[in-house]
């Protein structure tokens, strides 16, 4: 889909990008990462010809981009940047409609598309379409920026630290949303970041750059488990094992867990599991409400009396969580296992610390 | 008093309003009208009580009410202060016209009745109050405009009704109505035309200096230097080269290019209008968020589309603000241009100075002030309307 061949960019005496070659497949998210000044943004901007390479060729779908008029080329490439750059004098709807209008879509189609995109990025069209950029929070502005980049449904999306300028919590939400949107739209994405966690979370492949050169281009798993040289090894850091956990979904690690109904008599707790010390408690709808310590069970009493009530959102993880999130919950609560619930808080099962240990060991040796 | 419930609402005397009121009360003492046997003869000053005792009582009551409001200084009351001040302005105008015509009827036709210090200072003091009230009031823009403009409106109504016909300035005017219209038109053509040309030159220069580091320095160097030359000196400086030019090429005279007259005036006025326009154009473009331009380019807008759709709408209010400054400044500078024979309302001022005829000076000066105020108000409205709704304070 996108192919960079021996691309070099020289400014006066500094070499920003040095003989850089890269191939990004259709529908793939490629994250360019590296220390600041490594040439990642320059590389990104050469793809839509905001910067012209000194030498080398860039092909999109086999076509040499230097043969396409820059404006024409850019109309077919979505572009989102860290500072968003929303037009302050235009409403949210007008901002999103920028490229469709440059392409002379008819009014109805533009309006429909704007609503669609606002829905896609999780903002209510009725509430947001007429707002102006200065009325938006940082996170909202970033989402509008992404919506604007996607407006004319370009097959390619270039993003330069699109979630850089917001607080960590908002950033995590935006990243999760990006993953969801990307599953829906399947664009070919090249994303620049300096945040390794973000790269690991979003990328199908990561391209690590240093001093204008490509150092390693591989899947996040491979980069974490087999860094190609000392630079990559240092760059991904000593907590590689932990980072790797954030690539692994808990789905394959959920095991059956023993649970009792909150209205059941104590005897049933004994029956539910006689080897384990803790048992999850659910209500009639199967929703997690707490847990019971078998050693503190009163003889002949009811579950209700011995239950330790919990807020599920504090101790449980969703089925879509990663092993890293599960581990973080366990450490936070001091448990050796974490309950897994579905989006209606119904208990599905649990993930144990031992499973996570074995998962780490497996990928370590592979 | 019901407003004294909370401490910050109790006593917070408004010092500006109180000062204005004191000036207003003091203005009751000096002469309100001057009776002169002829246009240039020395006159007799007539005190307010010599004209009408009732007027003294009325003004004392009104000013006292202002004093009370000023001393209380409650913000919500400032609208009443403004209304009172406007009432004083209107009454002063009505009384001056009335007293002048009554006085004029008792004298010879060549005698002149001129407003005296008491009249002028009263108007000044009342306007101090109006602006004190306007600043404090939380009322709607409509009320604010009413406060600022009702006095001037009443003035014009009375003027056209012939209410001031017995006052010397009006008699001066009636002697040369045609010339007044001519000079007024000439004045407006001079400053209007110069600023239009200045805008046409200044905006491209401003854009150029914002885009090119190399152009920035020399453009601002020259624009700044010219601004420091006193207007009279600049008018004078242009006489020599233009005279030489028209002497060398007599054909230029056919187009009215001479050392004195309108040509040097227009050139000087254009030069003066350049700096605010260049400066504001430069600032408006330099202050644009580069990310906005980058996003526009990255999405496939051409340079021209970025200029038309992004830069122009965002820069327009700031550029127009520069045009407003240039216009207001030129209204006054044009008055000086009368010295080199350019004509305009300044001609009355300098003629009056030469003849020691104060009425003639006022006939030139007051329209210049009113013109400047009107141009300022008009341009402020234009700037407000062009400000995009998405920007702070935008929308009209």
């Amino acid at each position: 889909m996108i192919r960079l061949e021996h691309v070099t960019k020289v400014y006066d005496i500094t070499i920003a990008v040095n003989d850089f070659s890269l191939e990004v497949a259709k529908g793939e998210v490629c994250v360019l990462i590296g220390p600041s000044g490594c040439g990642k943004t320059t590389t990104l901007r050469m793809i839509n010809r905001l910067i012209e390479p000194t030498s080398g060729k860039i092909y999109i779908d086999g076509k040499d981009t230097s043969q396409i008029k820059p404006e024409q080329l850019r109309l077919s490439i979505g572009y989102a940047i860290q500072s968003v750059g929303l037009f302050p004098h235009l409403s949210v709807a007008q901002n999103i409609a920028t490229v469709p209008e440059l392409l002379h879509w008819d009014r109805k189609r533009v309006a429909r598309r704007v609503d669609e995109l606002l829905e896609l990025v999780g903002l209510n069209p009725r509430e947001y379409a007429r707002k102006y950029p200065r009325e938006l929070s940082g996170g909202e502005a970033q989402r509008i920026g992404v919506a604007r980049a996607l407006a004319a449904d370009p097959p390619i999306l270039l993003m330069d630290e699109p979630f850089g300028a917001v607080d960590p919590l908002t950033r995590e939400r935006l990243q999760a949303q990006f993953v969801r949107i990307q599953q829906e739209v399947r664009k070919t994405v090249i994303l620049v970041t300096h945040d390794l966690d973000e790269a690991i979370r979003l990328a199908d492949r990561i391209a690590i750059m240093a001093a204008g050169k490509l150092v390693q281009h591989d899947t996040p798993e491979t980069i974490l488990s087999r860094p190609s040289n000392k630079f990559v090894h240092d760059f991904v850091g000593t907590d590689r094992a932990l980072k790797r956990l954030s690539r692994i979904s808990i789905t394959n690690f959920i095991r059956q867990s023993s649970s009792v109904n909150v209205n059941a008599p104590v005897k049933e707790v004994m029956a539910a599991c006689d080897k384990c010390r803790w048992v999850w408690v659910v209500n009639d709808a199967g929703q997690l409400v707490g847990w019971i310590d078998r050693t503190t069970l009163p003889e002949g009493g009811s579950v209700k009396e011995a239950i330790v009530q919990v807020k599920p959102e504090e101790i449980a993880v969703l089925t879509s969580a990663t092993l890293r999130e599960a581990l973080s919950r366990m450490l936070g609560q001091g448990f050796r296992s974490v309950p897994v619930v579905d989006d209606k808080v119904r208990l599905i099962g649990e993930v144990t610390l031992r499973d996570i240990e074995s998962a780490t060991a497996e990928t370590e040796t592979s | 008093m019901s407003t004294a419930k909370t401490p910050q609402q109790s006593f917070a005397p408004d010092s500006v309003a109180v000062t204005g009121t004191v000036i207003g009360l003091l203005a009751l003492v000096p002469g309100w009208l001057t009776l002169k046997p002829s246009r240039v003869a020395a006159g007799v000053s007539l005190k307010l009580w010599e004209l009408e005792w009732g007027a003294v009582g009325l003004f004392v009551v009104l000013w006292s009410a202002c004093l009370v409001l000023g001393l209380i200084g409650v913000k919500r009351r400032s609208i009443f202060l403004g209304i009172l001040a406007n009432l004083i302005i209107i009454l002063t105008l009505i009384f001056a016209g009335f007293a002048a015509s009554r006085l004029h009827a008792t004298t010879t036709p060549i005698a002149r009745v001129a407003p005296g210090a008491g009249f002028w200072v009263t108007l000044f003091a009342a306007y101090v109050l109006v602006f004190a009230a306007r600043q404090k009031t939380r009322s709607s823009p409509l009320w604010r405009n009413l406060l600022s403009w009702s006095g001037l409106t009443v003035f014009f109504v009375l003027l056209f009704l012939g209410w001031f016909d017995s006052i010397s300035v009006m008699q001066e005017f009636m002697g040369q109505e045609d010339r007044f219209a001519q000079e007024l038109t000439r004045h407006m053509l001079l400053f209007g035309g110069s600023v239009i040309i200045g805008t046409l030159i200044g905006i491209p220069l401003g854009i150029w200096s914002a885009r090119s580091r190399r152009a920035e320095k020399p453009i601002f160097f020259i624009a700044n230097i010219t601004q420091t030359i006193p207007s009279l000196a600049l008018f004078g400086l242009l006489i020599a080269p233009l005279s030489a030019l028209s002497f060398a090429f007599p054909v230029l005279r056919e187009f009215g290019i001479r050392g004195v007259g309108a040509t040097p005036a227009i050139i000087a006025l254009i030069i003066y209008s350049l700096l605010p326009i260049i400066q504001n154009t430069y600032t408006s473009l330099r202050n644009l968020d580069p990310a906005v331009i980058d996003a526009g380019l990255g999405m496939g807008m051409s340079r021209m589309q970025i200029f038309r759709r992004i830069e122009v709408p965002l820069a327009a209010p700031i550029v127009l603000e520069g045009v407003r400054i240039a216009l207001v400044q030129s209204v006054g500078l044009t008055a000086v241009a009368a010295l080199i024979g350019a004509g305009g309302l300044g001609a009355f001022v300098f003629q009056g100075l030469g003849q020691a005829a104060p009425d003639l000076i006022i006939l030139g000066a007051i329209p210049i002030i009113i013109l400047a105020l009107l141009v300022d108000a008009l341009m402020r409205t234009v700037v407000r309307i062009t400000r995009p709704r998405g920007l702070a304070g935008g929308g009209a």
Side-chain angles (χ1 to χ4, degrees):
Chain A
M1 182 78 194
I2 303 174
R3 199 165 79 245
L4 287 79
E5 281 182 2
H6 308 291
V7 172
T8 299
K9 178 69 192 178
V10 183
Y11 288 110
D12 295 334
I13 47 161
T14 51
I15 302 174
V17 176
N18 190 356
D19 193 20
F20 185 95
S21 298
L22 181 77
E23 221 176 307
V24 180
K26 190 176 166 72
E28 182 182 274
V29 178
C30 174
V31 173
L32 284 178
I33 191 168
S36 58
C38 70
K40 51 193 193 292
T41 295
T42 308
T43 305
L44 187 82
R45 290 165 69 88
M46 283 194 288
I47 295 170
N48 65 357
R49 292 186 65 189
L50 284 171
I51 296 174
E52 299 288 348
T54 311
S55 66
K57 293 259 181 237
I58 298 171
Y59 298 93
I60 290 177
D61 283 339
K63 265 179 267 167
D64 181 353
T65 55
S66 65
Q67 302 304 313
I68 309 170
K69 227 178 124 218
E71 285 84 18
Q72 215 55 46
L73 175 71
R74 291 174 199 147
L75 285 172
S76 62
I77 301 178
Y79 185 60
I81 52 178
Q82 174 176 11
S83 36
V84 194
L86 292 180
F87 305 142
H89 59 303
L90 298 181
S91 69
V92 164
Q94 289 169 316
N95 263 288
I96 295 175
T98 306
V99 178
E101 262 163 23
L102 291 174
L103 294 170
H104 306 293
W105 288 17
D106 70 77
R107 267 232 223 102
K108 272 190 194 148
R109 186 172 165 211
V110 173
R112 246 195 342 262
R113 182 67 181 152
V114 167
D115 284 0
E116 220 173 271
L117 283 161
L118 280 170
E119 299 273 8
L120 182 70
V121 297
L123 298 172
N124 181 359
R126 277 215 202 127
E127 190 183 338
Y128 283 90
R130 281 157 180 242
K131 283 198 176 191
Y132 282 93
R134 76 182 157 111
E135 299 165 314
L136 303 172
S137 72
E140 287 166 349
Q142 299 269 11
R143 285 196 262 179
I144 304 294
V146 173
R148 185 171 69 170
L150 289 169
D153 207 13
I156 299 169
L157 196 54
L158 302 181
M159 306 175 99
D160 192 350
E161 306 213 18
F163 314 122
V166 291
D167 61 278
L169 198 70
T170 311
R171 185 179 315 144
E172 221 163 281
R173 281 204 202 114
L174 290 175
Q175 287 166 349
Q177 193 181 43
F178 173 82
V179 171
R180 178 179 62 73
I181 292 175
Q182 171 62 8
Q183 273 168 1
E184 213 172 297
V185 298
R186 289 278 161 213
K187 301 292 180 195
T188 307
V189 181
I190 299 187
L191 188 147
V192 163
T193 184
H194 61 259
D195 176 356
L196 186 62
D197 289 320
E198 180 167 281
I200 290 167
R201 191 157 183 192
L202 305 181
D204 294 319
R205 277 160 182 275
I206 294 177
I208 298 185
M209 286 182 78
K213 283 195 165 254
L214 182 64
V215 185
Q216 187 172 7
H217 181 216
D218 232 316
T219 60
E221 287 83 0
T222 316
I223 284 191
L224 288 169
S225 56
R226 288 196 300 268
S228 67
N229 61 19
K230 188 168 180 313
F231 173 82
V232 179
H233 182 275
D234 291 347
F235 187 76
V236 297
T238 45
D239 57 349
R240 289 183 293 142
L242 198 56
K243 287 201 169 78
R244 202 152 58 229
L245 290 180
S246 64
R247 287 293 298 180
I248 306 172
S249 160
I250 59 168
T251 336
N252 297 325
F253 297 87
I254 301 173
R255 54 173 69 221
Q256 207 66 45
S257 65
S258 46
S259 65
V260 293
N261 189 285
V262 67
N263 295 315
V266 166
K267 260 184 281 169
E268 260 186 47
V269 181
M270 304 304 206
C273 171
D274 46 23
K275 268 186 271 164
C276 42
R277 185 173 161 190
W278 287 284
V279 177
W280 303 114
V281 180
V282 295
N283 63 14
D284 290 337
Q287 292 168 317
L288 181 70
V289 290
W291 49 274
I292 268 183
D293 185 345
R294 271 182 42 174
T295 57
T296 63
L297 269 188
E299 285 294 321
S302 77
V303 169
K304 248 184 198 155
E305 290 162 34
I307 184 174
V308 178
Q309 295 226 339
V310 294
K311 289 194 181 119
E313 64 267 25
E314 274 172 18
I315 68 154
V317 293
L318 288 168
T319 45
S320 58
T322 64
L323 283 183
R324 184 174 179 165
E325 282 163 320
L327 180 63
S328 137
R329 280 291 150 88
M330 287 181 211
L331 296 175
Q333 300 287 330
F335 293 166
R336 310 198 123 257
S337 68
V338 57
V340 180
V341 297
D342 65 12
D343 49 10
K344 296 211 170 66
V345 208
R346 285 182 299 230
L347 185 68
I348 303 291
E350 63 182 10
V351 175
T352 65
L353 189 57
R354 188 162 309 156
D355 294 329
I356 295 179
E357 277 166 359
S358 62
T360 339
E362 243 170 65
T363 46
E364 199 76 55
T365 51
S366 69
Chain B
M1 185 167 263
S2 63
T3 48
K5 265 180 287 185
T6 53
Q8 71 262 43
Q9 273 196 349
S10 58
F11 275 100
D14 180 341
S15 54
V16 179
V18 172
T19 312
T21 311
V22 172
I23 296 173
L25 281 166
L26 289 175
L28 298 176
V29 182
W32 269 56
L33 291 179
T34 306
L35 180 64
K36 295 184 289 190
S38 76
R39 184 171 172 241
V40 289
V44 194
S45 181
L46 295 166
K47 310 286 187 195
L48 190 57
W49 51 87
E50 289 167 322
L51 294 167
E52 188 66 61
W53 267 106
V56 179
L58 188 59
F59 280 118
V60 168
V61 169
L62 287 171
W63 283 118
S64 306
C66 291
L67 191 63
V68 171
L69 285 176
L71 282 174
I72 296 170
V74 179
K75 281 192 179 171
R76 237 177 285 148
R77 296 281 151 111
S78 59
I79 187 77
F80 295 116
L81 189 68
I83 293 170
L84 267 178
N86 271 298
L87 199 61
I88 291 173
I89 293 163
I90 293 164
L91 282 174
T92 306
L93 293 172
I94 291 175
F95 177 73
F98 164 75
S101 59
R102 199 172 60 173
L103 196 61
H104 205 253
T106 64
T107 57
T108 59
I110 62 154
R112 291 288 176 96
V113 181
F119 169 83
W120 294 115
V121 177
T122 301
L123 284 186
F124 167 75
Y127 270 108
V128 169
L129 257 58
V130 166
F131 286 102
R134 201 188 120 102
Q135 256 188 350
K136 289 234 169 134
T137 185
R138 291 190 208 129
S139 309
S140 65
L142 180 71
W143 269 107
R144 287 157 176 271
N145 281 328
L146 267 178
L147 286 186
S148 313
W149 297 102
S150 57
L152 199 61
T153 313
V154 170
F155 167 76
F156 273 114
V157 171
L158 291 174
L159 188 70
F160 286 113
L161 289 177
W163 192 257
F164 301 124
D165 285 356
S166 305
I167 288 182
S168 53
V169 180
M170 280 311 288
Q171 294 193 312
E172 202 72 61
F173 167 74
M174 285 185 292
Q176 38 197 342
E177 239 170 287
D178 294 340
R179 198 185 144 213
F180 182 84
Q182 234 171 37
E183 301 289 18
L184 179 65
T185 315
R186 200 176 167 80
H187 200 98
M188 295 207 280
L189 286 176
L190 279 172
F191 81 77
S194 309
V195 174
I196 289 172
I197 298 171
T199 307
L200 294 180
I201 302 173
I203 290 180
L205 282 178
I207 295 174
W208 191 24
S209 61
R211 299 252 194 271
S212 144
R213 291 252 169 228
R214 275 217 304 213
E216 180 186 341
K217 279 249 168 77
I219 287 176
F220 274 99
F221 179 74
I222 293 167
N224 279 314
I225 289 274
T226 54
Q227 206 72 15
T228 62
I229 304 173
S231 51
L232 208 51
L234 187 54
F235 288 130
L237 275 176
L238 287 167
I239 293 178
L242 284 172
S243 302
L245 206 61
S246 74
F247 193 73
F249 305 99
V251 64
L252 289 176
R253 289 175 199 228
E254 306 273 320
F255 301 101
I257 294 179
R258 285 177 299 138
V260 292
T263 316
I266 291 173
I267 293 175
L269 289 170
I270 291 171
I271 291 174
Y272 278 120
S273 65
L274 284 180
L275 182 65
I277 294 168
I278 294 177
Q279 177 94 58
N280 279 36
T281 308
Y282 171 86
T283 314
S284 69
L285 291 176
R286 273 295 164 92
N287 282 0
L288 288 183
D289 182 358
V292 169
I293 308 295
D294 185 44
L297 276 177
M299 284 190 296
M301 289 175 129
S302 65
R303 253 333 304 183
M304 199 59 212
Q305 283 166 331
I306 285 186
F307 182 70
R308 278 210 337 264
R309 296 186 185 202
I310 303 175
E311 292 178 317
V312 169
L314 287 176
I318 305 170
V319 174
L320 285 170
E321 184 65 24
V323 175
R324 179 186 70 82
I325 296 167
L327 274 172
V328 173
Q329 169 188 287
S330 296
V331 172
L333 284 173
T334 304
V336 183
L339 267 188
I340 52 164
L345 292 167
F348 291 117
V349 176
F350 291 112
Q351 200 184 335
L353 283 171
Q355 299 177 3
D359 299 332
L360 208 51
I361 300 176
I362 292 170
L363 182 64
I366 288 190
I368 291 172
I369 295 169
I370 293 176
L371 213 51
L373 286 174
L374 287 177
V375 166
D376 186 57
L378 183 77
M379 284 306 292
R380 276 179 201 276
T381 311
V382 172
V383 169
R384 208 179 59 234
I385 291 170
T386 52
R387 186 166 295 150
R389 272 190 55 209
L391 302 187

